[in-house]
Amino acid sequence: MQERIIILDFGSQTTQLIARRVRELNMYCEILPYNKFPHEATDVKGVILSGSPFSVYDKSAFKTDVSKLCRKYPVLGICYGAQLIAHNAGGTVEPAGSREYGRANIEKFSTESPLLKDFTENSQIWMSHGDTITNIPENFEIIASTKDVPVAAYHIKGENTWGVQFHPEVFHTLDGTKLLDNFLNICNCAKDWSPASFVESTVASLKEQLGDDKVVLGLSGGVDSSVAAVLLNKAIGKNLSCIFVDHGLLRKNEFEDVMRDYEHLGLNVIGVNAKKRFYSELEGISDPETKRKIIGKGFIDVFDEEAKKIQDVKWLAQGTIYPDCIESLSITGTVIKSHHNVGGLPEKMHLKLCEPLRLLFKDEVRRVGNQLGMMPHLIKRQPFPGPGLAVRILGDITEDKVRIAQEADAIFINSLREWDLYDQVWQAGVILLPIRSVGVMGDERTYENAVALRAVTSTDAMTADWAHLPYEFLAKVSNEIINRVKGVNRVTYDISSKPPATIEWE
């Protein structure tokens, strides 16, 4: 049985970061809503309580009886989690004189504390809270303080219960990973979770789950669906059929290139050219959400038609990954993100759902792909939106606009590879703007399209910064696009970060 750490989510924006840091320490963990702890589970080694946007004394605050957990498991409370433990035990949590946000330094800490083992003197930490613990019960001991926060970290005597008012999961807490590793050692975790162990256990689980049943999977050409396909192929071989739909909004030559890659992988892939169908249904449509819905419904219809040609299919496989699952349902039960992997197809096709990657983050999916021996260019592919160029062509879709976007995008992406910049960028593409501008080519005045280059750096797409690409590179790309792509006479570069902007424009 796979040991795990449970992270109870109280609504913090950095809960996923906690999970990522724990996974990076080769320990499997899961994020669950604050009130959904699996009390009957026998594989839980410890519990981490996340931060929260609420104060512990708010009527609307998310609360649970943490005393039961503290008596049974090692527990680490982070920020709100630490305040909740102290508050429930009779301590005092009050609004801070001013919001404590940003860098601070540990000025005093217990060198005997196993949680702070090997901490450095004046270690930098990251604070982000409006409340502070001003009084702790007698059986609590302070193990760390800063200049402004007397109770920066504590331990409950006689228990493996710990609390920190700072955020060890964020990059700015320099000894944060060390603290989390120390907590895993307190929990006696084996820390043996790896891509190799995931492949071994998942293949065995898929064989048991699927037996001799037939499975159909929708390929997109992206990392997630490709890794899911190879994993399933390893488990059930010929009983897997993959469908790759070309909606006419892929990158230049992508359909043909990806089909060749899948053939190399030994996958049974059905390629469907549905360009004309999608262009017809999108004609005259400018609203971005309407475009998305048309493409989503069209994909479902085409996929369903092709899948029905395969006899006795019982399962639909998808490349859903962990952030999809977490973001699709908030801890209050409110849907906060809809995406192409979790809606529509299973119900329409009356199939059972198989999602072999649903517990992995994107970087873990890539490591699993590497473990499976997939080609590097497939594993390192940058994310590409499901609706494709439809959300990069602002306004209505025409075949000529698709041509312009594809050709300009191909120059940009190929140039990133030529300059060894591709792997330094999380996501890149060209946006075709719904405006024209005056230009001069030769002795002639032009009035043609403008495009925007978009390139960002990120680790998980939750936040992103614009990529600081060399001026010489941008100048070369601009010249090539204007000279080689008929219909473009102006190139701009998007220097917006997320937030407040999004990575895609629509």
Side-chain angles (χ1 to χ4, degrees):
M1 184 180 293
Q2 177 72 61
E3 294 180 346
R4 56 179 170 158
I5 293 290
I6 296 295
I7 301 167
L8 290 184
D9 181 19
F10 289 86
S12 171
Q13 292 182 332
T14 60
T15 301
Q16 282 198 41
L17 274 181
I18 302 171
R20 289 177 63 84
R21 297 294 174 262
V22 172
R23 297 273 188 94
E24 288 166 3
L25 292 166
N26 296 323
M27 183 62 198
Y28 178 65
C29 63
E30 290 183 21
I31 298 172
L32 297 175
Y34 71 97
N35 56 353
K36 299 293 183 183
F37 186 84
H39 290 283
E40 303 304 316
T42 58
D43 57 348
V44 178
K45 298 292 289 183
V47 184
I48 298 176
L49 312 180
S50 83
S52 175
F54 296 106
S55 298
V56 293
Y57 43 78
D58 287 347
K59 290 182 180 179
S60 55
F62 299 134
K63 295 178 182 176
T64 190
D65 185 359
V66 295
S67 62
K68 290 182 180 178
L69 301 177
C70 294
R71 287 194 294 267
K72 188 173 181 180
Y73 306 100
V75 175
L76 172 64
I78 294 176
C79 197
Y80 174 92
Q83 294 166 4
L84 181 64
I85 294 170
H87 176 74
N88 286 359
T92 306
V93 178
E94 297 179 302
S98 60
R99 180 169 173 79
E100 293 159 346
Y101 181 84
R103 293 175 177 83
N105 294 90
I106 297 288
E107 294 193 345
K108 298 177 183 177
F109 71 95
S110 169
T111 56
E112 303 300 315
S113 171
L115 187 70
L116 304 179
K117 182 182 178 184
D118 297 327
F119 251 55
T120 53
E121 292 288 337
N122 296 313
S123 184
Q124 177 183 289
I125 58 175
W126 184 263
M127 294 286 194
S128 180
H129 55 261
D131 299 328
T132 192
I133 301 169
T134 56
N135 183 49
I136 55 175
E138 289 185 4
N139 60 330
F140 281 48
E141 57 180 341
I142 297 173
I143 60 172
S145 302
T146 72
K147 178 183 177 182
D148 299 315
V149 182
V151 189
Y154 64 75
H155 169 237
I156 300 182
K157 298 173 185 177
E159 293 184 12
N160 267 336
T161 303
W162 315 79
V164 295
Q165 289 216 85
F166 54 91
H167 287 269
E169 70 274 20
V170 302
F171 174 77
H172 304 292
T173 297
L174 301 185
D175 285 330
T177 299
K178 190 178 296 180
L179 184 149
L180 292 171
D181 192 34
N182 288 338
F183 179 67
L184 298 183
N185 291 334
I186 290 169
C187 297
N188 292 315
C189 295
K191 293 185 285 188
D192 58 359
W193 195 68
S194 65
S197 66
F198 174 83
V199 170
E200 182 181 359
S201 62
T202 302
V203 168
S205 175
L206 288 170
K207 286 179 177 178
E208 182 178 348
Q209 179 187 22
L210 303 173
D212 292 325
D213 291 350
K214 288 187 178 180
V215 179
V216 64
L217 179 145
L219 288 169
S220 68
V223 178
D224 303 335
S225 66
S226 298
V227 172
V230 175
L231 200 57
L232 279 158
N233 191 50
K234 189 176 179 69
I236 63 173
K238 60 179 174 44
N239 281 339
L240 172 68
S241 296
C242 304
I243 298 173
F244 183 26
V245 178
D246 182 2
H247 48 34
L249 298 158
L250 300 171
R251 284 184 156 136
K252 186 177 181 179
N253 300 326
E254 185 170 24
F255 183 71
E256 295 78 13
D257 293 344
V258 171
M259 287 295 289
R260 279 195 298 271
D261 287 338
Y262 287 147
E263 185 178 346
H264 173 80
L265 291 169
L267 299 176
N268 173 30
V269 183
I270 301 164
V272 185
N273 185 338
K275 294 180 184 178
K276 297 295 184 183
R277 176 173 181 166
F278 280 88
Y279 291 158
S280 174
E281 292 179 357
L282 287 166
E283 186 176 357
I285 304 298
S286 298
D287 178 70
E289 190 60 25
T290 305
K291 287 193 290 187
R292 285 178 177 273
K293 287 179 179 177
I294 289 171
I295 293 168
K297 181 181 182 301
F299 175 82
I300 290 173
D301 290 342
V302 172
F303 187 92
D304 187 36
E305 290 166 13
E306 293 298 322
K308 284 178 178 175
K309 298 175 184 177
I310 307 168
Q311 293 185 343
D312 302 321
V313 174
K314 294 184 178 179
W315 295 84
L316 170 69
Q318 296 186 145
T320 310
I321 64 174
Y322 203 31
D324 295 334
C325 303
I326 297 168
E327 293 178 355
S328 293
L329 198 65
S330 75
I331 58 177
T332 59
T334 304
V335 174
I336 57 175
K337 178 185 177 185
S338 62
H339 59 91
H340 69 281
N341 277 342
V342 293
L345 273 171
E347 295 83 357
K348 180 180 178 68
M349 299 175 67
H350 307 290
L351 298 177
K352 292 181 283 187
L353 195 58
C354 175
E355 297 172 314
L357 305 179
R358 65 179 291 109
L359 297 177
L360 298 185
F361 289 102
K362 176 73 78 173
D363 55 328
E364 293 170 332
V365 173
R366 289 195 167 105
R367 292 203 293 270
V368 167
N370 188 59
Q371 180 68 34
L372 290 165
M374 294 174 64
M375 294 169 288
H377 75 271
L378 266 179
I379 298 169
K380 294 180 179 180
R381 284 175 66 89
Q382 294 177 358
F384 189 66
L389 297 176
V391 295
R392 294 183 179 176
I393 297 172
L394 307 192
D396 66 324
I397 308 294
T398 67
E399 287 194 57
D400 191 54
K401 289 182 179 180
V402 172
R403 175 194 61 80
I404 292 172
Q406 286 180 333
E407 291 183 5
D409 178 83
I411 291 171
F412 187 28
I413 298 301
N414 290 337
S415 297
L416 285 169
R417 289 194 171 101
E418 290 168 7
W419 284 58
D420 292 325
L421 295 169
Y422 184 85
D423 292 340
Q424 299 176 34
V425 173
W426 171 267
Q427 191 167 340
V430 171
I431 314 300
L432 178 57
L433 304 179
I435 57 173
R436 290 187 173 190
S437 67
V438 173
V440 177
M441 288 188 179
D443 295 325
E444 296 183 3
R445 179 180 182 274
T446 63
Y447 188 58
E448 293 182 335
N449 296 284
V451 298
L453 308 181
R454 178 67 159 150
V456 299
T457 56
S458 182
T459 56
D460 50 22
M462 297 183 70
T463 61
D465 192 16
W466 61 278
H468 295 224
L469 300 175
Y471 291 154
E472 297 81 4
F473 169 81
L474 293 172
K476 179 178 179 294
V477 171
S478 174
N479 285 337
E480 282 201 38
I481 289 175
I482 291 172
N483 288 333
R484 292 169 50 190
V485 182
K486 184 180 178 182
V488 176
N489 69 354
R490 191 175 298 270
V491 175
T492 65
Y493 188 50
D494 181 352
I495 59 169
S496 310
S497 296
K498 176 187 178 181
T502 53
I503 295 176
E504 299 293 345
W505 279 43
E506 286 191 346

